[in-house]
Amino acid sequence: MADPSIAYTLDEALSTLGFGRFQGVVLAYAGLGWIAESMEIMLLSFVGPAVNSEWGLTSSEESLITTVVFAGMIVGAYAWGLVSDTYGRTKSLLGVAIVSAGAGVLSALSPNYIWLVVLRWMVGIGLGGGHVFSSWFLEFVPTANRGTWMIVFSTFWSVGTVLEAVVAWIIMPSLGWRWLLGLSTLPCFALLLFYVLIPETPRYLCNKGRTSEAQAVLEKVATLNGTKLPPGILVSDHLTDGNEEFTLLEDTHLLTSSKKKTKESGTSSSPLVLFSPKLIRTTFLLWIVYFGNTFSYYGIVLLTSELSSEQSTCSSRAVLSGNIQDSSLYINVFITSLAEFPGLVLSAIIVDKVGRKFSMAIMLLLGFVLLLPLVSQQGEILTTASLFGARMFISASFVIACIYAPEVYPTSIRSTGVGVATAIGRIGGMICPLVAVALVSNCHQTAAIILFEVIVVVVGMCVMIFPFETMGRELSDSVPLSNSNVIT
């Protein structure tokens, strides 16, 4: 029996248990979720032109196949975040897998264009919950090396994009777009298959006052990692009326109050907490950062096809809707996806050394510099090198932002806060092709690049005035009353 006179916190337990086999299993499952999302996003590069060729669509109808996915992701990002904070991370992950897998398979069987659009919108709703995988994994990782492991987790996105390019290269020429849609759902079905193995996070359980369940999960972590929990009992500062942990918490109240912790209040999971005095500045800045990063990332992905082509003399339409049998399309997506890995490696090296804010600023600065030569027409080699480099660093900045957001929000609204920010970002993904790429298509390359540069500068300014640096900080369970962690 644990000695009730000794207590330990959740962060102390995770630090003692370390990153071991248990977190490796969690990483694999969360990474599979991100592979599933990235594959479903990247297949849009191949499906649109193929469906256009088969059904004789207009350019606007073809574009709508992509747009509705992002529209669905806006809805899903908020909805699944709310489900996660209200009913649990694992419940949300189950819903994401069911909707994504079901709608994905059905879209492969679409009898006509209308059904395809509706079902791809539903796929988007499922994919909108991808950020919950990030929050779920984050809550199992010890504080000391949290940033590095979150970067490792983010590499699964790039793995998914490369894998989708390879699958499309093999499947599309012989079997067509329907088989590509169907086979791309396999990671979603794998999520359903292994769902029975995944636990709820101890942090969510503690936040809901279910301390004994959190203790049981931590014991499983200790067993699988081959380590031991600290002596004593797990303490939680959250009380719920009629909860089975009430007596235990009452007995340990004096122990928890003796801990040198920042006093906290407000365990409500209401979205209105995002606009509380201590969070409203961070919330609005994150919205701008997510919007700008998403706009820039997808813009650079699309501009790679626009500006790197031999037909870059304002004939981009021929590139985007050319013969789907041409292997250059698959090669282009494959190579540009590989460009993200060096940026991720650099991020992993510095994110736990110089901090989230400074790391994002470095990546944005390098992205800005590499885009600058494209303000005027350049040769094919320099254009390709600049775009690959810009994608490398802008994607790295986005990854660090996706680490920072769940770290800065308290457990009670973590998934909701990240979900709303993600939804705002998806709006940037929807607008980008209509604005930036349209400028290039109409021979306004200079205006398009200047637009990207301005957005990168704005994002960089927002990053530098974030009120919190989260490196080395324990995850918060509620909104802090003091300003002890505010960067001045």
Side-chain angles (χ1 to χ4, degrees), residues 293-419:
N293 261 319
T294 306
F295 186 97
S296 301
Y297 174 79
Y298 285 111
I300 291 172
V301 170
L302 293 171
L303 288 178
T304 300
S305 297
E306 297 278 350
L307 299 181
S308 297
S309 171
E310 294 178 353
Q311 304 179 33
S312 60
T313 56
C314 304
S315 58
S316 58
R317 181 63 191 166
V319 177
L320 293 177
S321 60
N323 186 356
I324 196 67
Q325 305 293 335
D326 187 355
S327 63
S328 63
L329 175 62
Y330 311 112
I331 296 173
N332 185 55
V333 174
F334 178 82
I335 294 177
T336 54
S337 298
L338 291 177
E340 297 181 12
F341 287 102
L344 292 172
V345 172
L346 178 59
S347 300
I349 294 172
I350 69 173
V351 71
D352 277 328
K353 292 182 173 63
V354 303
R356 294 11 172 184
K357 292 172 58 176
F358 195 49
S359 296
M360 278 189 277
I362 292 173
M363 298 303 166
L364 289 166
L365 176 61
L366 292 173
F368 177 90
V369 171
L370 286 167
L371 271 180
L372 201 56
L374 300 182
V375 170
S376 60
Q377 289 279 349
Q378 302 294 338
E380 183 179 353
I381 295 178
L382 180 58
T383 296
T384 302
S386 294
L387 286 171
F388 281 18
R391 177 169 176 176
M392 179 192 309
F393 294 115
I394 295 300
S395 64
S397 169
F398 200 0
V399 165
I400 299 170
C402 291
I403 297 172
Y404 180 84
E407 287 182 331
V408 80
Y409 282 125
T411 301
S412 56
I413 56 161
R414 179 166 295 126
S415 290
T416 301
V418 177

Side-chain angles (χ1 to χ4, degrees), residues 13-25:
L14 290 175
S15 296
T16 301
L17 296 174
F19 194 102
R21 293 180 181 177
F22 185 94
Q23 284 85 356
V25 173

Side-chain angles (χ1 to χ4, degrees), residues 189-477:
F189 281 101
L191 290 172
L192 291 173
L193 179 64
F194 295 109
Y195 175 77
V196 294
L197 301 178
I198 68 170
E200 185 56 81
T201 69
R203 191 170 298 277
Y204 172 83
L205 294 171
C206 283
N207 190 63
K208 295 299 183 181
R210 295 155 58 182
T211 314
S212 63
E213 295 178 50
Q215 175 96 27
V217 174
L218 291 174
E219 289 171 356
K220 292 179 181 178
V221 177
T223 299
L224 199 56
N225 285 3
T227 54
K228 293 183 179 181
L229 285 168
I233 57 174
L234 176 66
V235 295
S236 173
D237 294 327
H238 304 292
L239 302 178
T240 55
D241 294 337
N243 187 275
E244 63 179 348
E245 270 71 45
F246 180 83
T247 302
L248 174 61
L249 290 170
E250 189 176 45
D251 290 340
T252 59
H253 175 69
L254 293 177
L255 292 172
T256 60
S257 63
S258 67
K259 292 284 182 180
K260 293 181 179 180
K261 297 288 181 183
T262 301
K263 291 183 179 180
E264 297 177 327
S265 68
T267 60
S268 170
S269 60
S270 169
L272 294 179
V273 177
L274 299 175
F275 308 105
S276 63
K278 297 301 180 183
L279 287 179
I280 187 169
R281 178 180 170 187
T282 299
T283 293
F284 283 123
L285 289 174
L286 269 178
W287 288 1
I288 297 173
V289 168
Y290 264 68
F291 180 93
N293 261 319
T294 306
F295 186 97
S296 301
Y297 174 79
Y298 285 111
I300 291 172
V301 170
L302 293 171
L303 288 178
T304 300
S305 297
E306 297 278 350
L307 299 181
S308 297
S309 171
E310 294 178 353
Q311 304 179 33
S312 60
T313 56
C314 304
S315 58
S316 58
R317 181 63 191 166
V319 177
L320 293 177
S321 60
N323 186 356
I324 196 67
Q325 305 293 335
D326 187 355
S327 63
S328 63
L329 175 62
Y330 311 112
I331 296 173
N332 185 55
V333 174
F334 178 82
I335 294 177
T336 54
S337 298
L338 291 177
E340 297 181 12
F341 287 102
L344 292 172
V345 172
L346 178 59
S347 300
I349 294 172
I350 69 173
V351 71
D352 277 328
K353 292 182 173 63
V354 303
R356 294 11 172 184
K357 292 172 58 176
F358 195 49
S359 296
M360 278 189 277
I362 292 173
M363 298 303 166
L364 289 166
L365 176 61
L366 292 173
F368 177 90
V369 171
L370 286 167
L371 271 180
L372 201 56
L374 300 182
V375 170
S376 60
Q377 289 279 349
Q378 302 294 338
E380 183 179 353
I381 295 178
L382 180 58
T383 296
T384 302
S386 294
L387 286 171
F388 281 18
R391 177 169 176 176
M392 179 192 309
F393 294 115
I394 295 300
S395 64
S397 169
F398 200 0
V399 165
I400 299 170
C402 291
I403 297 172
Y404 180 84
E407 287 182 331
V408 80
Y409 282 125
T411 301
S412 56
I413 56 161
R414 179 166 295 126
S415 290
T416 301
V418 177
V420 174
T422 302
I424 298 295
R426 297 307 180 190
I427 296 175
M430 292 176 61
I431 294 176
C432 178
L434 303 176
V435 179
V437 178
L439 288 173
V440 178
S441 299
N442 291 306
C443 302
H444 300 302
Q445 175 179 328
T446 298
I449 299 301
I450 290 175
L451 174 61
F452 280 108
E453 295 285 53
V454 169
I455 289 176
V456 170
V457 169
V458 170
V459 171
M461 293 173 60
C462 290
V463 165
M464 294 309 297
I465 61 176
F466 272 136
F468 299 103
E469 171 56 65
T470 59
M471 181 183 67
R473 287 181 55 200
E474 296 178 354
L475 295 180
S476 173
D477 289 327

